[in-house]
Amino acid sequence: MKLSLTTSLALHGALAAAFRVYDNTAYTNTSVGFGSSNINWIPNYVCIPLLAGGTLPSAEAWKTVVKQWVVYPGYPLVLDCEQLYLNDAATADQDLEWLATLQTWAADVIPAGSVIGWYGLVANTNTALYGHLRTLVANHTPTAFFPSAYTFSYSLSTWKTALTTSLAKAHAVNSSIPVIPYTWPQYHGNYSFFPVDLWSAELAYLASQNSTLAGFVIWGGKNHAVCNDACQATAGQQPWLAATRTYLASLYGQYSGTPEVAGGQLFTGL
Ligand SMILES: *[C@@H]1O[C@H](CO)[C@@H](O)[C@H](O)[C@H]1NC(C)=O
Ligand SMILES: *[C@@H]1O[C@H](CO)[C@@H](O)[C@H](O)[C@H]1NC(C)=O
Ligand SMILES: *[C@@H]1O[C@H](CO)[C@@H](O)[C@H](O)[C@H]1NC(C)=O
Ligand SMILES: *[C@@H]1O[C@H](CO)[C@@H](O)[C@H](O)[C@H]1NC(C)=O
């Protein structure tokens, strides 16, 4: 039986520490499954043309986009508008106003109590502008930080260092906001799938961080520019998928019967 959204919200406090793995992949004919949770996102390539005129889109235009992309109502919505990163004091006030307006308009057309957060924003906010980000956080509850934890080289330690830096920034802005990093089984630089031993090591490390992370997102394939037809058609045959499923099977005890962390498919709040 499916829990109603109201029931879900009532459970919010009790499950505050649950660790979830979100499937934000869109590889052809391939979803992660195995207890991963749904999530919604609006990509940067959708945001860019909407802001291209140097003004906000109309509320109606933005709400139409939100309704189109929120395919799993009640699950978190991640917004990605990278030109609004709070990294320039000269434009920060306007950026904040636009970020707040876009998230308020989004909240108007999705179920009450939905998580709304911004991809990449916390790690790309200048220290001097943390106050701006705190104002944005106060504008919508519940929220979460969704920093990138993408992979640039075959080095677990480099990847960990970058993640640790993002986490420290998130905590400096507001340590009570859940952090849910974005992972991706392809190299950020050339989009090839990186060796599965590195991917498995990243997954294991993320699970070990369940006291500071509320989970993580697996991204991939949403943007044709980073996974073309040939990549799409074979993405599900790459070893990352089996490794991810093996990991999920024991993470939640779905198949072993002994969960390693609390969490699971049914998203009930952060
Ligand atoms: C992709 O980039 C990674 C990291 O720089 C590198 O190790 C790998 O050889 C590259 N692969 C291809 C196919 O260029
Ligand atoms: C941090 O976030 C919580 C939850 O939204 C909020 O109650 C609190 O006021 C925030 N703290 C700061 C310093 O903004
Ligand atoms: C995806 O699945 C559909 C329906 O089974 C099939 O027709 C199509 O060829 C598949 N595409 C790829 C790239 O495997
Ligand atoms: C976090 O993971 C450890 C094992 O690594 C486990 O003992 C603990 O229960 C987990 N905590 C939550 C909240 O899932």
Side-chain angles (χ1 to χ4, degrees), residues 153-165 198 201-202 205:
S153 68
Y154 185 70
S155 166
L156 183 64
S157 65
T158 302
W159 174 85
K160 271 189 199 172
T161 301
L163 177 60
T164 303
T165 302
L198 178 59
E202 292 180 0
Y205 182 74

Side-chain angles (χ1 to χ4, degrees), residues 86-87 122-132 134 169 172-173:
L86 297 165
N87 54 14
V122 69
N124 287 286
T125 296
N126 289 355
T127 314
L129 297 170
Y130 282 178
H132 282 61
R134 292 187 189 109
K169 289 186 181 186
V173 171

